[in-house]
Amino acid sequence: MAVEILKEKCIGCGVCFKSCPYDAFEFEAYDGNKLGKVAKINAKCSNCNQCLTACKFGAIKEVQIGGDVDLSDYKHIWVFAEQRQGKIQNVALELIGEGKRLAKDISDDTEICAVLIGNNIDHLAQECFEYGAEKVYMIQDPLLENYTTDAYTKVLKQAIDEYKPEIVLYGATHIGRDFAPRIAARCNTGLTADCTHLDVKVSKYIDFAKANTTLDTSTLDPNDPSTGIKQTRPEFGGNLMATIICPKTRPQMSTVRPGVMQKQEREVGATGEIVNIKPEISAEDIRIEIKDIVKSMKEMVSLTDAKIICSGGRGLGDASGFELIKEFADKVGGVVGSSRACVDAGWIDHSHQVGQTGTTVKPEIYFACGISGAIQHLAGMQTSNCIVAINKDPDAPIMEVADYAIVGDLYKVIPEISAEWDNAEALYDATTK
């Protein structure tokens, strides 16, 4: 839904201006009333509808917009290649790989495209090509140096209106979770958040099905040009997986948690097409002024990039147990993770939390120490390449997903693993000299 100004009823009094928290009203000339002007809604409107009751003359009404669109106008897959201070976030590279897979399923001429927004970021296009992008849309301006919701929303919406992508994917980062809903609202389309799986319903399969007499084609519509994306995400605390579609509007949009999708192998030297887009943006479009960027003074945890994670759970007994976990992580070259129970108990900072309400991870080795394996935790780490579980309870859910399940007291088992790790390193050093 959106709002519309009825010019024949508007008297140009400007009362509606005060009701809008986004400064989305302005005047335009109109010779149909005594003041010679009427209210106009600009691009800053967020469709919050707070202005509907402001006008006493009935000049503002709610209207249905969007609805059915010509789906055939929309082509290709875009990935918002989120970058911070000139460094592409890993989740963007993961989504380029996932987009490549989806593009193959849709059609041979579907392109996987990266969208880079910022300033002085030309060097990042090559990295996108090497991880699978065929085309890079480059949107640069000094006003885009740092992320602001207003600026990024305006320039990406302009690009979407001009080039009409069929699918737009974002990482479910702090920026992605702020940015994607605003774009979806401006485009009057749907957005599915925190997806764990993406798939497509492809119209080209209709022809294949018709040619294969053993398949039931009664439910296939030969006039449906849709390559609708099927977006799967956990619901009800991870107890149910919901698959969501967006059949009538475009672009289709999803956010995906870091660590869920697989990056494709880097192809050094790969090239592609760069499309430079000159954004139409001014300082007046940005309501937030960034005075300074202050990084946290505390130790930052990079769970999404870690190859080895040593996580502790309620089985540690108390907060002091994380001293052992920290020593263990240092020994094996990993980082410290945690279950939600430990974070809720105040034993460790939330930045260490692994799981559905924390960080989704996919390390080479995941040590689960004293973690029972609630479904929310499993949702965030079960795609790890190797899971080692240490628990006194042989029937704990974590033991069912573990590649190596060790039944025992973690305070005895971990020191033994550390000792064996030293022995293995010494043996390796001896054999490689």
Side-chain angles (χ1 to χ4, degrees):
M1 304 298 287
V3 292
E4 181 180 275
I5 302 294
L6 303 178
K7 293 184 178 181
E8 64 275 11
K9 292 186 178 182
C10 179
I11 66 169
C13 66
V15 171
C16 53
F17 285 49
K18 298 178 181 179
S19 69
C20 180
Y22 300 101
D23 194 26
F25 283 95
E26 57 189 54
F27 283 121
E28 67 176 348
Y30 181 68
D31 59 6
N33 59 39
K34 293 181 180 179
L35 294 179
K37 61 183 181 180
V38 293
K40 173 187 175 183
I41 299 174
N42 61 35
K44 295 179 182 178
C45 178
S46 68
N47 298 325
C48 69
N49 294 342
Q50 293 191 38
C51 59
L52 288 176
T53 59
C55 182
K56 307 304 179 185
F57 303 95
I60 304 177
K61 74 170 185 177
E62 189 175 28
V63 295
Q64 177 72 44
I65 57 177
D68 293 342
V69 298
D70 187 351
L71 304 182
S72 62
D73 288 343
Y74 293 81
K75 306 287 186 183
H76 311 309
I77 298 173
W78 282 16
V79 170
F80 170 54
E82 181 184 334
Q83 60 84 25
R84 301 181 192 177
Q85 298 179 327
K87 184 178 186 300
I88 295 180
Q89 301 299 292
N90 271 331
V91 65
L93 303 178
E94 293 167 1
L95 289 177
I96 290 174
E98 179 67 7
K100 190 92 170 176
R101 181 186 69 81
L102 295 174
K104 289 180 181 178
D105 285 343
I106 293 174
S107 68
D108 294 335
D109 59 354
T110 297
E111 298 175 341
I112 173 64
C113 312
V115 182
L116 281 165
I117 304 176
N119 190 41
N120 297 323
I121 53 171
D122 300 86
H123 62 286
L124 298 181
Q126 182 60 37
E127 188 174 359
C128 292
F129 291 140
E130 292 181 353
Y131 278 98
E134 300 168 78
K135 183 181 291 184
V136 172
Y137 290 92
M138 190 75 69
I139 307 175
Q140 298 191 79
D141 191 275
L143 293 172
L144 303 172
E145 182 79 35
N146 296 307
Y147 172 78
T148 59
T149 308
D150 293 328
Y152 273 49
T153 298
K154 182 167 186 178
V155 299
L156 184 57
K157 176 61 164 57
Q158 291 170 356
I160 288 174
D161 288 344
E162 181 175 358
Y163 293 99
K164 292 183 168 52
E166 182 176 12
I167 296 168
V168 182
L169 305 177
Y170 310 79
T173 62
H174 295 300
I175 287 177
R177 286 171 170 165
D178 174 70
F179 186 36
R182 184 64 64 89
I183 294 293
R186 293 287 178 89
C187 295
N188 293 301
T189 191
L191 169 71
T192 303
D194 285 355
C195 294
T196 57
H197 181 72
L198 300 174
D199 208 346
V200 287
K201 176 178 77 69
V202 189
S203 57
K204 72 177 182 179
Y205 290 149
I206 294 176
D207 295 331
F208 169 77
K210 284 187 171 182
N212 190 328
T213 57
T214 64
L215 298 179
D216 178 15
T217 61
S218 60
T219 60
L220 299 177
D221 180 3
N223 298 315
D224 177 15
S226 171
T227 51
I229 187 170
K230 296 188 289 185
Q231 305 155 109
T232 302
R233 56 153 293 152
E235 295 285 0
F236 299 107
N239 295 307
L240 180 69
M241 301 302 288
T243 298
I244 300 167
I245 61 173
C246 183
K248 294 185 177 181
T249 58
R250 293 292 184 272
Q252 303 161 95
M253 297 191 182
S254 310
T255 64
V256 179
R257 281 193 174 193
V260 172
M261 303 304 180
Q262 185 72 41
K263 283 192 293 190
Q264 76 166 34
E265 288 293 324
R266 186 168 189 168
E267 184 182 344
V268 177
T271 60
E273 179 184 355
I274 296 178
V275 179
N276 290 300
I277 300 175
K278 179 61 179 174
E280 297 177 10
I281 189 170
S282 64
E284 290 71 29
D285 296 321
I286 306 172
R287 290 167 293 172
I288 296 174
E289 180 181 357
I290 298 177
K291 296 289 188 181
D292 194 10
I293 298 176
V294 181
K295 293 187 177 181
S296 174
M297 295 301 292
K298 67 184 179 181
E299 181 182 0
M300 300 303 293
V301 182
S302 183
L303 290 169
T304 55
D305 298 329
K307 293 186 176 181
I308 299 176
I309 297 176
C310 303
S311 281
R314 197 157 35 195
L316 293 175
D318 55 44
S320 64
F322 276 102
E323 295 176 8
L324 175 64
I325 299 298
K326 178 67 167 61
E327 292 175 3
F328 184 36
D330 291 342
K331 172 69 68 177
V332 301
V335 300
V336 176
S338 170
S339 68
R340 177 174 177 174
C342 297
V343 172
D344 290 346
W347 295 356
I348 195 168
D349 187 77
H350 179 268
S351 60
H352 294 267
Q353 184 178 325
V354 173
Q356 193 174 41
T357 54
T359 303
T360 301
V361 299
K362 191 177 181 181
E364 295 294 325
I365 305 175
Y366 187 85
F367 288 98
C369 309
I371 296 174
S372 62
I375 191 168
Q376 291 87 351
H377 188 81
L378 296 180
M381 47 66 68
Q382 61 187 357
T383 58
S384 303
N385 288 350
C386 178
I387 300 172
V388 180
I390 306 169
N391 203 294
K392 288 182 178 180
D393 182 4
D395 298 320
I398 192 72
M399 306 299 245
E400 297 180 8
V401 301
D403 297 286
Y404 299 95
I406 303 174
V407 180
D409 184 347
L410 66 91
Y411 286 99
K412 296 179 180 179
V413 173
I414 290 177
E416 291 183 14
I417 294 177
S418 297
E420 288 300 321
W421 197 279
D422 285 335
N423 293 337
E425 286 186 334
L427 180 60
Y428 176 80
D429 292 339
T431 56
T432 55
K433 286 181 179 179

mmCIF file of all heavy atoms in Angstrom, residues 34 40 52 95 120 123 128 133-134 137 140 150 160 173 230 234 245 248 259 266 335 337 374 386 405 412:
data_model
loop_
_atom_site.group_PDB
_atom_site.id
_atom_site.type_symbol
_atom_site.label_atom_id
_atom_site.label_comp_id
_atom_site.label_asym_id
_atom_site.label_seq_id
_atom_site.Cartn_x
_atom_site.Cartn_y
_atom_site.Cartn_z
ATOM 1 N N LYS A 34 -6.763 28.377 -4.645
ATOM 2 C CA LYS A 34 -6.415 29.791 -4.444
ATOM 3 C C LYS A 34 -4.920 29.999 -4.186
ATOM 4 O O LYS A 34 -4.366 31.028 -4.572
ATOM 5 C CB LYS A 34 -7.213 30.348 -3.270
ATOM 6 C CG LYS A 34 -8.712 30.426 -3.539
ATOM 7 C CD LYS A 34 -9.437 31.004 -2.338
ATOM 8 C CE LYS A 34 -10.944 31.082 -2.626
ATOM 9 N NZ LYS A 34 -11.687 31.627 -1.466
ATOM 10 N N LYS A 40 2.935 17.418 -2.558
ATOM 11 C CA LYS A 40 3.461 16.356 -3.414
ATOM 12 C C LYS A 40 4.312 15.426 -2.557
ATOM 13 O O LYS A 40 5.019 15.880 -1.655
ATOM 14 C CB LYS A 40 4.310 16.958 -4.534
ATOM 15 C CG LYS A 40 5.049 15.947 -5.397
ATOM 16 C CD LYS A 40 5.985 16.652 -6.362
ATOM 17 C CE LYS A 40 6.830 15.671 -7.151
ATOM 18 N NZ LYS A 40 7.799 16.363 -8.044
ATOM 19 N N LEU A 52 -2.072 9.796 6.853
ATOM 20 C CA LEU A 52 -3.425 9.543 6.361
ATOM 21 C C LEU A 52 -4.496 10.315 7.121
ATOM 22 O O LEU A 52 -5.502 10.744 6.545
ATOM 23 C CB LEU A 52 -3.731 8.043 6.418
ATOM 24 C CG LEU A 52 -3.009 7.178 5.373
ATOM 25 C CD1 LEU A 52 -3.304 5.705 5.596
ATOM 26 C CD2 LEU A 52 -3.415 7.586 3.966
ATOM 27 N N LEU A 95 27.322 -15.410 -1.569
ATOM 28 C CA LEU A 95 26.077 -15.225 -2.320
ATOM 29 C C LEU A 95 26.323 -15.185 -3.827
ATOM 30 O O LEU A 95 25.453 -15.581 -4.604
ATOM 31 C CB LEU A 95 25.379 -13.947 -1.865
ATOM 32 C CG LEU A 95 24.765 -14.012 -0.469
ATOM 33 C CD1 LEU A 95 24.162 -12.666 -0.089
ATOM 34 C CD2 LEU A 95 23.700 -15.101 -0.392
ATOM 35 N N ASN A 120 35.730 5.116 -4.445
ATOM 36 C CA ASN A 120 37.095 4.628 -4.680
ATOM 37 C C ASN A 120 37.212 3.122 -4.418
ATOM 38 O O ASN A 120 38.090 2.656 -3.688
ATOM 39 C CB ASN A 120 38.101 5.386 -3.799
ATOM 40 C CG ASN A 120 38.164 6.864 -4.126
ATOM 41 O OD1 ASN A 120 38.069 7.248 -5.292
ATOM 42 N ND2 ASN A 120 38.295 7.699 -3.106
ATOM 43 N N HIS A 123 38.864 -1.324 -7.337
ATOM 44 C CA HIS A 123 39.681 -2.531 -7.198
ATOM 45 C C HIS A 123 38.881 -3.749 -6.749
ATOM 46 O O HIS A 123 39.336 -4.884 -6.900
ATOM 47 C CB HIS A 123 40.806 -2.277 -6.189
ATOM 48 C CG HIS A 123 40.318 -1.947 -4.810
ATOM 49 N ND1 HIS A 123 39.758 -0.729 -4.481
ATOM 50 C CD2 HIS A 123 40.305 -2.682 -3.669
ATOM 51 C CE1 HIS A 123 39.417 -0.729 -3.201
ATOM 52 N NE2 HIS A 123 39.744 -1.903 -2.685
ATOM 53 N N CYS A 128 35.186 -9.683 -7.279
ATOM 54 C CA CYS A 128 33.850 -10.213 -7.597
ATOM 55 C C CYS A 128 33.904 -11.131 -8.817
ATOM 56 O O CYS A 128 33.277 -12.203 -8.825
ATOM 57 C CB CYS A 128 32.870 -9.068 -7.848
ATOM 58 S SG CYS A 128 32.486 -8.070 -6.397
ATOM 59 N N ALA A 133 31.190 -13.607 -10.410
ATOM 60 C CA ALA A 133 30.322 -12.596 -11.011
ATOM 61 C C ALA A 133 30.665 -12.414 -12.481
ATOM 62 O O ALA A 133 31.836 -12.407 -12.865
ATOM 63 C CB ALA A 133 30.453 -11.271 -10.270
ATOM 64 N N GLU A 134 29.638 -12.274 -13.320
ATOM 65 C CA GLU A 134 29.847 -12.038 -14.748
ATOM 66 C C GLU A 134 29.786 -10.552 -15.074
ATOM 67 O O GLU A 134 30.338 -10.112 -16.082
ATOM 68 C CB GLU A 134 28.784 -12.783 -15.554
ATOM 69 C CG GLU A 134 28.798 -14.289 -15.332
ATOM 70 C CD GLU A 134 27.574 -14.958 -15.907
ATOM 71 O OE1 GLU A 134 27.540 -15.142 -17.135
ATOM 72 O OE2 GLU A 134 26.644 -15.272 -15.134
ATOM 73 N N TYR A 137 28.002 -3.978 -11.326
ATOM 74 C CA TYR A 137 27.437 -2.627 -11.377
ATOM 75 C C TYR A 137 28.152 -1.798 -10.313
ATOM 76 O O TYR A 137 28.087 -2.107 -9.128
ATOM 77 C CB TYR A 137 25.934 -2.658 -11.121
ATOM 78 C CG TYR A 137 25.147 -3.279 -12.250
ATOM 79 C CD1 TYR A 137 24.858 -4.642 -12.251
ATOM 80 C CD2 TYR A 137 24.706 -2.519 -13.317
ATOM 81 C CE1 TYR A 137 24.151 -5.226 -13.297
ATOM 82 C CE2 TYR A 137 23.991 -3.087 -14.370
ATOM 83 C CZ TYR A 137 23.722 -4.437 -14.355
ATOM 84 O OH TYR A 137 23.023 -5.002 -15.393
ATOM 85 N N GLN A 140 29.431 4.759 -7.484
ATOM 86 C CA GLN A 140 30.409 5.445 -6.653
ATOM 87 C C GLN A 140 30.103 6.939 -6.554
ATOM 88 O O GLN A 140 29.683 7.565 -7.533
ATOM 89 C CB GLN A 140 31.821 5.256 -7.219
ATOM 90 C CG GLN A 140 32.284 3.815 -7.265
ATOM 91 C CD GLN A 140 33.765 3.711 -7.585
ATOM 92 O OE1 GLN A 140 34.615 3.910 -6.717
ATOM 93 N NE2 GLN A 140 34.080 3.393 -8.830
ATOM 94 N N ASP A 150 19.754 6.188 3.973
ATOM 95 C CA ASP A 150 19.149 7.066 2.975
ATOM 96 C C ASP A 150 19.892 7.023 1.644
ATOM 97 O O ASP A 150 19.281 6.852 0.581
ATOM 98 C CB ASP A 150 19.136 8.510 3.489
ATOM 99 C CG ASP A 150 18.214 8.694 4.680
ATOM 100 O OD1 ASP A 150 17.199 7.988 4.749
ATOM 101 O OD2 ASP A 150 18.509 9.541 5.533
ATOM 102 N N ILE A 160 17.874 -0.337 -9.665
ATOM 103 C CA ILE A 160 16.861 -1.386 -9.876
ATOM 104 C C ILE A 160 15.802 -0.920 -10.862
ATOM 105 O O ILE A 160 15.366 -1.677 -11.738
ATOM 106 C CB ILE A 160 16.231 -1.786 -8.523
ATOM 107 C CG1 ILE A 160 17.242 -2.583 -7.689
ATOM 108 C CG2 ILE A 160 14.958 -2.596 -8.735
ATOM 109 C CD1 ILE A 160 16.774 -2.892 -6.287
ATOM 110 N N THR A 173 23.682 -9.252 7.355
ATOM 111 C CA THR A 173 24.580 -8.561 8.275
ATOM 112 C C THR A 173 23.814 -7.417 8.924
ATOM 113 O O THR A 173 22.634 -7.194 8.636
ATOM 114 C CB THR A 173 25.786 -8.002 7.515
ATOM 115 O OG1 THR A 173 25.311 -7.046 6.547
ATOM 116 C CG2 THR A 173 26.545 -9.108 6.797
ATOM 117 N N LYS A 230 12.307 -19.873 -4.544
ATOM 118 C CA LYS A 230 11.737 -20.499 -3.349
ATOM 119 C C LYS A 230 12.708 -20.276 -2.203
ATOM 120 O O LYS A 230 13.824 -20.780 -2.220
ATOM 121 C CB LYS A 230 11.479 -21.988 -3.603
ATOM 122 C CG LYS A 230 10.445 -22.241 -4.693
ATOM 123 C CD LYS A 230 10.054 -23.703 -4.794
ATOM 124 C CE LYS A 230 11.169 -24.547 -5.364
ATOM 125 N NZ LYS A 230 10.757 -25.944 -5.584
ATOM 126 N N PRO A 234 14.007 -20.807 8.724
ATOM 127 C CA PRO A 234 13.443 -21.436 9.920
ATOM 128 C C PRO A 234 12.342 -20.568 10.518
ATOM 129 O O PRO A 234 12.421 -19.341 10.509
ATOM 130 C CB PRO A 234 14.630 -21.545 10.885
ATOM 131 C CG PRO A 234 15.821 -21.005 10.185
ATOM 132 C CD PRO A 234 15.376 -20.327 8.951
ATOM 133 N N ILE A 245 7.413 -17.793 -1.296
ATOM 134 C CA ILE A 245 7.553 -17.366 -2.684
ATOM 135 C C ILE A 245 7.008 -15.959 -2.847
ATOM 136 O O ILE A 245 6.259 -15.465 -1.998
ATOM 137 C CB ILE A 245 6.840 -18.331 -3.662
ATOM 138 C CG1 ILE A 245 5.335 -18.385 -3.353
ATOM 139 C CG2 ILE A 245 7.460 -19.718 -3.611
ATOM 140 C CD1 ILE A 245 4.541 -19.180 -4.376
ATOM 141 N N LYS A 248 4.057 -12.426 -7.563
ATOM 142 C CA LYS A 248 3.432 -11.367 -8.360
ATOM 143 C C LYS A 248 4.247 -10.092 -8.486
ATOM 144 O O LYS A 248 3.884 -9.201 -9.251
ATOM 145 C CB LYS A 248 2.058 -11.020 -7.777
ATOM 146 C CG LYS A 248 1.051 -12.157 -7.883
ATOM 147 C CD LYS A 248 -0.317 -11.729 -7.407
ATOM 148 C CE LYS A 248 -1.338 -12.847 -7.578
ATOM 149 N NZ LYS A 248 -2.687 -12.432 -7.138
ATOM 150 N N GLY A 259 27.918 -17.586 6.186
ATOM 151 C CA GLY A 259 28.326 -18.947 6.498
ATOM 152 C C GLY A 259 27.376 -20.024 6.049
ATOM 153 O O GLY A 259 27.692 -21.208 6.170
ATOM 154 N N ARG A 266 37.997 -19.740 -6.140
ATOM 155 C CA ARG A 266 38.448 -18.490 -6.751
ATOM 156 C C ARG A 266 39.198 -18.765 -8.049
ATOM 157 O O ARG A 266 40.116 -19.588 -8.096
ATOM 158 C CB ARG A 266 39.344 -17.735 -5.778
ATOM 159 C CG ARG A 266 39.746 -16.352 -6.257
ATOM 160 C CD ARG A 266 40.377 -15.552 -5.149
ATOM 161 N NE ARG A 266 40.566 -14.155 -5.528
ATOM 162 C CZ ARG A 266 40.891 -13.187 -4.681
ATOM 163 N NH1 ARG A 266 41.080 -13.486 -3.391
ATOM 164 N NH2 ARG A 266 41.036 -11.943 -5.092
ATOM 165 N N VAL A 335 39.136 -19.925 17.388
ATOM 166 C CA VAL A 335 38.524 -18.842 18.145
ATOM 167 C C VAL A 335 37.475 -19.432 19.074
ATOM 168 O O VAL A 335 37.020 -20.572 18.893
ATOM 169 C CB VAL A 335 37.877 -17.788 17.215
ATOM 170 C CG1 VAL A 335 38.906 -17.158 16.292
ATOM 171 C CG2 VAL A 335 36.745 -18.400 16.399
ATOM 172 N N GLY A 337 33.862 -19.886 20.708
ATOM 173 C CA GLY A 337 32.440 -19.750 20.472
ATOM 174 C C GLY A 337 31.670 -20.092 21.736
ATOM 175 O O GLY A 337 32.244 -20.496 22.748
ATOM 176 N N ALA A 374 20.862 -27.866 21.362
ATOM 177 C CA ALA A 374 19.506 -27.396 21.082
ATOM 178 C C ALA A 374 19.376 -27.096 19.595
ATOM 179 O O ALA A 374 20.360 -26.756 18.924
ATOM 180 C CB ALA A 374 19.206 -26.135 21.895
ATOM 181 N N CYS A 386 33.763 -30.658 9.971
ATOM 182 C CA CYS A 386 34.003 -31.729 10.948
ATOM 183 C C CYS A 386 33.545 -31.246 12.314
ATOM 184 O O CYS A 386 33.967 -30.178 12.767
ATOM 185 C CB CYS A 386 35.477 -32.106 10.976
ATOM 186 S SG CYS A 386 35.882 -33.389 12.202
ATOM 187 N N ALA A 405 32.161 -38.206 18.396
ATOM 188 C CA ALA A 405 31.468 -37.969 19.665
ATOM 189 C C ALA A 405 32.280 -38.584 20.801
ATOM 190 O O ALA A 405 32.516 -39.792 20.829
ATOM 191 C CB ALA A 405 30.065 -38.574 19.625
ATOM 192 N N LYS A 412 38.661 -33.190 31.515
ATOM 193 C CA LYS A 412 39.696 -34.221 31.360
ATOM 194 C C LYS A 412 40.029 -34.456 29.887
ATOM 195 O O LYS A 412 41.180 -34.696 29.534
ATOM 196 C CB LYS A 412 39.232 -35.533 32.001
ATOM 197 C CG LYS A 412 39.034 -35.447 33.511
ATOM 198 C CD LYS A 412 38.551 -36.785 34.070
ATOM 199 C CE LYS A 412 38.345 -36.705 35.577
ATOM 200 N NZ LYS A 412 37.853 -38.002 36.131
#
